[in-house]
């Protein structure tokens, strides 16, 4: 690999090319900015050209990559005055130049980095995180605070990495500027002098301090803070990671567009642009996100470049609906004792988690509508679902927003809702998973639209395995520990068996009546539930354990052929599971989830590894399958979110090659999910796009710091880097 930094300084500037623009690129339309990036040694290939403006109703950014000759075209720019500059590996950011879209090609002068430290400032977070030295395999198992400092539950190095990613990366990037330094701790607490003490303090601060401190305690607070302190000390002394490669091939064809939305305190979990089963729904329409911290639906009009928020209502009085966000145990290093999301005026406790759009363009959400205690019908044996699986509490229910009437509708559920996905059946059934429970729930939206009766429309199934092999589920069954008993009864092979795998995600299959979920229960499982013809009595479950070296399935999606894909967050794989390849679907191995190893395929994502391990430092919060070739990379292309690498990652399973769709500015792109929409099937690349958003809990971690707002991100792949 060529060295991507040069120990010299290049003059920064902008000049008109001395030759006619059309001799190089053709005459440009007025809605573009184009030219060439020149460095000291000639054209700079594979660097980003960034155009940003605040002239529109909300801040707007467009980014392209230079081709092999350093040329670029930033297409389809709304009329405005733009700050334009160059960012790239091996460079420092060039001076910003103010310009408007023009038919005249221009030369941008790049600035080469003088030192490795200068060059590394724009590296993605996973490169910096790769410098973190994980406790050695020989240190495990943990023996507690008075022993080796590792938590007694930490049995292996992989388990520690699992906790690092699922507990810390769960909320935000690791490796970005704010997390790889403790300077702001020293500034806020001058009495703290040592990095390890700074980490101990930092982990207990702010709105998520309780969770961070609890995670670190489970990992082993003494040893974990020592590892983190060693990392930030070496960074402070000038240690840098290896240089990333510049974009090549298809990666140079990517156009990234960003809009500001939300506030400087928003925690926007996910966005949605269209229907999962039909990407032409809502063509050209608004993009939606749910702001968990503010109980709001955030809306962006990409045609008008405008954005606003609507408070999501609750059925019970707001004061009676509890917040899941505790007050700071220690003051935030950024917001002090402000209780950011629980008492932000006005108090809006809906806590939406995930949005989806139906065929009518309505935006369905998981959201709180009441206190946690369920209605009586959720445990009344007269309700057939409650007779099999009685439920007394749920922390979140459901709602939808109809843009045609600008109204919200609230729907009670007995199960707790988390992620949600529409089926492609005639009833347009909407499925939910429970984050903290084993239920797969649903709303029959056709029945609800016809009757407005939530009790008739809502149903759910628990998880029962057909362990006696008779092809059906019958009572009584083997019961696991819980529900009033501390140990499970002896297994009876003549009975079926109830299991309880908490599900993080859910997806219905387009080829049969099954619903799939991902369970993070260490080391991780995927769960298949078949409703059958008369649920819940016909509901039947199968479980499949993630094979070594895979760890921690979080996201789940499925292709048009029924092949399931899951992002393994801790081990940094995309994994596929094809049930059609299973040699057996019954027997003892299937009770443990190990009965179909032939169904699995694991694809580890590229990038730098955590020091002392073979595990990449990237983190894949979720994944998505491009069923309809919206990206142009092919139908059924699987994607993972590169939540530590400022990217979306596309996989070609046949060649095992990866394509990075990178967001170089502002640094800190942390996506939890993504989707794609076709606005005009006849408009080529211009008529389709992928969408994601900055879903970090802490928008002040994004480049720009406190005051920065979240961003919606649009990705398009052109046929070549100069396409307009």
């Amino acid at each position: 690999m060529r060295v991507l930094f040069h120990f010299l300084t290049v003059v920064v500037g902008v000049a008109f090319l001395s030759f006619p623009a059309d001799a190089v690129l053709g005459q440009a339309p007025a809605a573009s900015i184009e030219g060439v990036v020149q460095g000291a040694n000639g054209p700079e290939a594979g660097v980003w050209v960034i155009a940003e403006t605040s002239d529109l109703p909300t801040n707007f950014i467009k980014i392209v990559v230079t081709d092999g000759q350093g040329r670029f075209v930033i297409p389809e720019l709304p009329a405005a005055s733009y700050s334009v500059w160059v960012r790239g590996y091996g460079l420092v950011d060039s001076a910003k130049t103010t310009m408007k879209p023009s038919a005249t090609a221009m030369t941008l002068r790049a600035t080469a980095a003088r030192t490795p430290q200068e060059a590394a400032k724009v590296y993605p977070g996973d490169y910096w995180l790769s410098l973190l030295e994980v406790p050695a395999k020989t240190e495990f198992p943990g023996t507690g605070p008075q022993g080796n400092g590792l938590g007694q539950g930490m049995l292996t190095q992989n388990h520690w990495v699992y906790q690092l990613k699922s507990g810390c990366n769960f909320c935000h990037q690791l490796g970005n500027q704010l997390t790889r330094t403790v300077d702001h701790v020293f500034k806020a607490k001058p009495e703290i002098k040592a990095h390890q003490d700074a980490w101990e303090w930092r982990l207990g601060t702010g709105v998520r301090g309780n969770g961070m401190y609890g995670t670190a305690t489970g990992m082993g607070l003494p040893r974990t803070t020592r590892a983190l302190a060693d990392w930030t000390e070496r960074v402070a002394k000038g240690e840098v990671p290896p240089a990333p490669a510049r974009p090549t091939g298809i990666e140079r064809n990517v156009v990234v567009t960003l809009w500001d939305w939300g506030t400087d305190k928003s925690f926007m979990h996910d966005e949605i642009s269209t229907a999962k089963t039909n990407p032409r729904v809502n063509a050209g329409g608004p993009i939606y996100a749910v702001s968990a911290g503010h109980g709001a639906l955030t809306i962006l009009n990409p045609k008008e470049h405008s954005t606003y928020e609507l408070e999501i209502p609750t059925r019970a009085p707001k004061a009676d609906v509890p917040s899941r966000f505790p007050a700071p145990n220690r003051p935030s290093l950024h917001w002090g004792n402000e209780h950011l999301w629980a008492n932000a005026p006005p108090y809006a406790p809906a806590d939406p988690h995930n949005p989806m759009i139906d065929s009518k363009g309505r935006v369905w959400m998981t959201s709180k509508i009441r206190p946690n205690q369920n209605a009586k019908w959720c445990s009344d044996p007269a309700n057939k679902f409650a007779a099999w699986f009685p439920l007394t509490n749920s922390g979140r229910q459901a709602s939808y927003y109809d843009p045609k009437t600008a109204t919200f509708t609230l729907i009670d559920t007995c199960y707790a809702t988390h992620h949600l996905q529409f089926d492609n059946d005639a009833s347009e059934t909407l499925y939910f998973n429970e984050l903290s429970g084993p239920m797969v729930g649903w709303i029959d939206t056709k029945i609800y639209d016809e009757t407005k009766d939530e009790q008739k429309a809502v149903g759910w199934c628990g998880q029962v395995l057909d362990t006696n092999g008779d092809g059906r589920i019958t009572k009584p069954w083997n019961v696991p520990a819980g529900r009033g008993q501390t140990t499970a009864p002896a297994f009876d092979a003549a009975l079926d068996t109830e299991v309880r795998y908490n599900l993080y995600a859910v997806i219905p299959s387009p080829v049969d009546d099954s619903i799939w979920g991902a369970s993070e229960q260490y080391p991780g499982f995927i769960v298949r539930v078949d409703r059958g013809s008369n649920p819940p009595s016909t509901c039947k479950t199968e479980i499949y354990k993630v094979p070594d070296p895979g760890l921690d399935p979080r996201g789940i999606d499925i292709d048009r052929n029924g092949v399931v894909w899951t992002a393994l967050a801790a081990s940094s794989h995309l994994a596929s599971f094809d049930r059609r390849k299973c040699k057996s679907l019954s027997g003892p191995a299937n009770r443990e989830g190990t009965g179909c190893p032939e169904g699995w395929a694991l694809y580890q994502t590229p990038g730098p590894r955590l020091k002392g391990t073979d595990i990449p430092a990237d983190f894949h919060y979720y994944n998505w399958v491009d069923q309809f070739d919206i990206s142009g990379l092919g139908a059924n292309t699987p994607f993972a979110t590169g939540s530590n690498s400022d990217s979306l990652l596309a996989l070609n399973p046949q060649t095992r090659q990866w394509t990075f769709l990178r967001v170089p500015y502002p640094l800190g792109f942390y996506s939890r999910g993504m989707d794609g929409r076709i606005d005009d099937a006849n408009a080529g690349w211009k008529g389709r796009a992928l969408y994601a958003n900055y879903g970090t809990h802490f928008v002040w971690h994004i480049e720009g710091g406190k005051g920065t707002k979240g961003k919606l991100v649009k990705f398009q792949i052109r046929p070549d880097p100069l396409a307009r």
Side-chain angles (χ1 to χ4, degrees), residues 15 112 114 167 228 242 339 396 525 533 545 549 577 603 605 649 688:
R114 294 169 296 181
L228 293 168
H339 195 172
R396 195 186 276 121
F525 295 79
S533 60
K545 183 179 179 180
F577 182 78
Y603 306 83
T605 55
L649 286 72
R688 56 189 66 216

Side-chain angles (χ1 to χ4, degrees), residues 93-247:
D93 289 353
S94 69
K96 295 182 179 180
T97 302
T98 301
M99 62 180 68
K100 295 183 178 181
S102 169
T104 303
M106 309 185 79
T107 297
L108 300 178
R109 298 290 178 183
T111 304
R114 294 169 296 181
T115 66
Q117 290 74 26
E118 271 194 346
K121 289 181 179 180
V122 297
Y123 293 174
D126 63 327
Y127 278 78
W128 286 100
L129 183 61
S130 71
L131 300 179
L132 174 66
E133 186 167 9
V134 172
K137 292 180 179 180
T138 55
E139 296 184 54
F140 295 88
T143 56
Q146 306 308 315
N148 63 7
L150 288 164
Q152 291 179 325
M154 295 293 101
L155 302 180
T156 66
Q157 185 189 69
N158 278 355
H159 199 179
W160 192 92
V161 172
Y162 168 92
Q163 283 297 103
L164 176 77
K165 291 193 176 185
S166 66
C168 302
N169 259 169
F170 172 79
C171 289
H172 57 82
Q173 265 197 3
L174 292 177
N176 57 19
Q177 170 65 28
L178 198 67
T179 59
R180 67 177 182 258
T181 64
V182 292
D183 294 346
H184 61 297
V185 183
F186 292 148
K187 182 177 180 180
K189 302 285 292 182
E191 67 273 20
I192 295 177
K193 306 297 182 184
H195 280 242
Q196 188 169 3
D197 294 335
W199 273 104
E200 190 281 333
W201 181 263
R202 163 197 259 176
L203 290 171
T205 61
V207 70
R208 282 304 204 186
N210 292 340
M212 291 191 295
Y213 207 88
T215 294
T217 300
M219 296 167 68
L221 190 64
R223 184 64 182 90
T224 298
T225 54
R226 181 152 56 89
L228 293 168
D230 171 72
W231 174 44
T232 53
E233 285 169 357
R234 286 186 282 112
V235 169
K237 291 175 182 177
E239 185 173 345
V240 297
R246 288 182 177 180

Side-chain angles (χ1 to χ4, degrees), residues 437-474:
M439 299 299 154
V440 171
W442 60 86
I443 297 173
D444 185 316
T445 64
K446 181 180 180 181
I447 289 178
Y448 185 79
D449 284 341
E450 291 173 349
T451 67
K452 304 303 180 186
D453 188 329
E454 55 201 14
Q455 294 186 44
K456 290 182 179 179
V458 168
W460 64 94
C461 283
Q463 301 171 11
V464 185
L465 309 177
D466 176 23
T467 50
N468 65 11
D470 66 358
R472 60 196 179 94
I473 301 300
T474 52

